[in-house]
Amino acid sequence: MKPSYLDSLERIKEEHSEMSKHLSQQKSELEKINMEKENMTRSFMTYAEVSSTMRADLKRAEEMNKRLQDFIMQTLSPLLSPEHQASCLAALESFKSASSPRENGNGAALPPGFPPVAAGMLGMFPNMPFGMNPAMSQLFNQFAQGNGADAVAGSSGGSEAKKPKLEEPDDGELEIDVTNDDNPTTANGATHKNGRDSTNSVASSGASTPSIASNSAKGRQQQPPGNLQSLEQMSFLAGLNPNMLRQAGGFNLFNDPHTSARLAAAMNQMGGRPAYSFKIVDNGIPTPTTFPPDAQKGPGIPTGLKKRMELNHGEVVCAATIARDNTRVYTGGKGCVKVWDITESDLTSTSTVSRPCIATLECLKDNYIRSCKLFQDGKTLLIGGEASTVALWDLTTQMKTLDLETESQACYALALSPDEKLLFACLADGNILIYDIHNKEKVCTLPGHQDGASCLDLSNDGTKLWSGGLDNSVRCWDMSQRVELAKYDFNSQVFSLGCCPDDEWVAVGMENNNVEVLSTSGKEKYQLTQHESCVLSLKFAHSGKFFISTGKDNALNAWRTPYGASLFQLKENTSVLSCDISFDDSLIVTGSGEKKATLYSIDY
């Protein structure tokens, strides 16, 4: 009996249904395969990145190992008696031979391809994940014992040397707080909260008597230490960046006061000095900077400061600027900018003067002022801060002439074009706003800093804009095309930035306590490590011969451009949040958490 048409149709439907199920299963399997492929690709990229990072770290470790071995042979070995020198050499040979096995001192297997020299390096760093090499431990115990019973007896009765205090890493949150140095900070002493800065509390971060330490005319190189009980002071002899040793952990050698005293005497005999300036070139390895003979002397090179005037603002001073003719100072606090009269007669006195303000500009609705930018004629002032608007004030009438809406929660820095027709605003959302003041219209927005832009400055010729951000980067923008020209990545958030007037150098203040000076035409840069906490503000002198930086460590440091020879250091009572240098490079003003600004005259 022939199958009917309906039976054939039903069979075709069943076959189509089976084929559809089979196709659906294949699609599902294909999706799973694609997901596995994506996961494998992601894992491969992660492993490749980790591998690249490890290779770079191992290369640095090999270089550090070589320097430390040279340091041991050239500096420490001559301090020991002949019998201890023999033990030292034997321990060093044991260390070299122990570097080659593929296991560490605890018997844990090392990764395949781990270089023998780097394996030996693990013994020097107890905090590293592969344990301690016993030969290196023995070697450093030899140094800790010194020349015999006198050192052993001294170490048994004396107290252990204090280890350097290390600050806890910041968590990226931003809020002005100089009450406790362990609190996270960012630009101008602030703490980041959801992309916005807020200034909740400001007090002392550790009072200290104001003082100025000026380098003597004889000490043209980096200055000698008083003792060798800190890793920073030891690092110069080995030719190492102190931050590298700070991350690696302490050595038993540094905990013995007798050994430290012997090393101090030896270093003074050798003319050694602790390094705070490091030059970095193509290989990325910091080397101590050798300063020229005239690094700290010559025309236009300052030798110190004299305090001339205290300006009691009444609130934390997050912004301060000096008028071009040196007759006014403008300080920004909470909800207002105050104007101060600083006449020449006040600056001739040898005593400190305290003066009341002559005007108050109420602005930003009780929010903190973060930036004040004065026009060259001294008649117009730009004001930005923890508000969505940037204000333009006529100082002659003391009236606000413009309220610019930025569409962001805060503006942390301002800049003006050389012709003063364009303003540049550094915003909390990571954008750089360019606004035409003359035509009162927005020109464009430069995006880039993902976690918020914190600082900016314009080159002297106005052709390039430099910006820094909480995404650990500094960017250079071409102002003719308004496009990004270059990006510089760091291992720390960027809090402050300044362009040298000759447009050859850009100085960057970091959350990790460093100041980095970048060459605008090459790969050369300098790393300055004298601050003890984050660097909150930075300003070049108009001569370009020096620049100053201030930080949460209560310090104001003056540096020679570009290599960072220390010219002088001043300590205030609280965090120094802002600074400015007068147009003729004769005055410096600072704003601090002590709710005041301080005016200094520069000595040459």
Side-chain angles (χ1 to χ4, degrees), residues 243-464:
N243 287 333
M244 298 169 66
L245 291 180
R246 199 180 288 122
Q247 295 169 3
F251 303 136
N252 292 337
L253 171 65
F254 303 138
N255 292 333
D256 178 62
H258 297 271
T259 304
S260 297
R262 289 194 299 273
L263 290 175
M267 193 175 75
N268 290 332
Q269 292 175 359
M270 294 184 295
R273 285 158 174 75
Y276 56 82
S277 172
F278 299 87
K279 185 175 182 178
I280 303 174
V281 289
D282 293 340
N283 59 9
I285 300 175
T287 57
T289 304
T290 300
F291 298 144
D294 61 347
Q296 295 162 318
K297 63 180 180 180
I301 306 303
T303 58
L305 296 179
K306 289 182 181 178
K307 182 189 288 188
R308 293 302 190 186
M309 190 176 296
E310 290 185 351
L311 310 175
N312 296 311
H313 187 99
E315 292 286 349
V316 176
V317 179
C318 301
T321 189
I322 304 174
R324 195 181 184 92
D325 59 2
N326 292 354
T327 60
R328 298 284 188 273
V329 166
Y330 301 84
T331 58
K334 186 176 182 180
C336 72
V337 170
K338 292 188 176 182
V339 187
W340 310 83
D341 180 23
I342 53 164
T343 59
E344 190 65 27
S345 59
D346 291 325
L347 303 180
T348 59
S349 172
T350 58
S351 61
T352 301
V353 179
S354 181
R355 292 282 299 276
C357 71
I358 60 174
T360 300
L361 310 178
E362 304 288 343
C363 51
L364 300 193
K365 299 179 180 178
D366 291 333
N367 293 303
Y368 274 90
I369 311 299
R370 288 303 191 86
S371 181
C372 296
K373 197 69 178 180
L374 193 64
F375 282 55
Q376 293 184 16
D377 61 6
K379 297 179 180 179
T380 308
L381 184 68
L382 273 174
I383 301 171
E386 296 181 2
S388 61
T389 58
V390 172
L392 190 69
W393 280 75
D394 185 332
L395 297 177
T396 304
T397 61
Q398 296 187 13
M399 298 291 292
K400 184 165 58 177
T401 59
L402 175 67
D403 251 338
L404 168 61
E405 181 60 46
T406 65
E407 300 179 357
S408 178
Q409 292 178 314
C411 169
Y412 299 139
L414 293 166
L416 281 171
S417 60
D419 60 6
E420 298 183 333
K421 292 182 179 180
L422 298 178
L423 76 81
F424 305 86
C426 177
L427 304 181
D429 60 8
N431 294 325
I432 307 298
L433 173 65
I434 304 179
Y435 187 81
D436 188 328
I437 301 174
H438 181 71
N439 296 316
K440 295 186 178 180
E441 62 181 10
K442 176 181 174 181
V443 176
C444 70
T445 299
L446 304 177
H449 294 286
Q450 297 179 354
D451 297 329
S454 57
C455 51
L456 58 75
D457 198 9
L458 200 64
S459 63
N460 195 45
D461 58 9
T463 60
K464 294 182 178 64

Side-chain angles (χ1 to χ4, degrees), residues 176-180 201-206 316 573-575 593-595:
I176 284 201
D177 182 18
V178 288
T179 305
N180 187 342
S201 65
V202 181
S204 172
S205 62
V316 176
N573 292 331
T574 61
S575 297
E594 206 173 4
K595 300 184 178 182

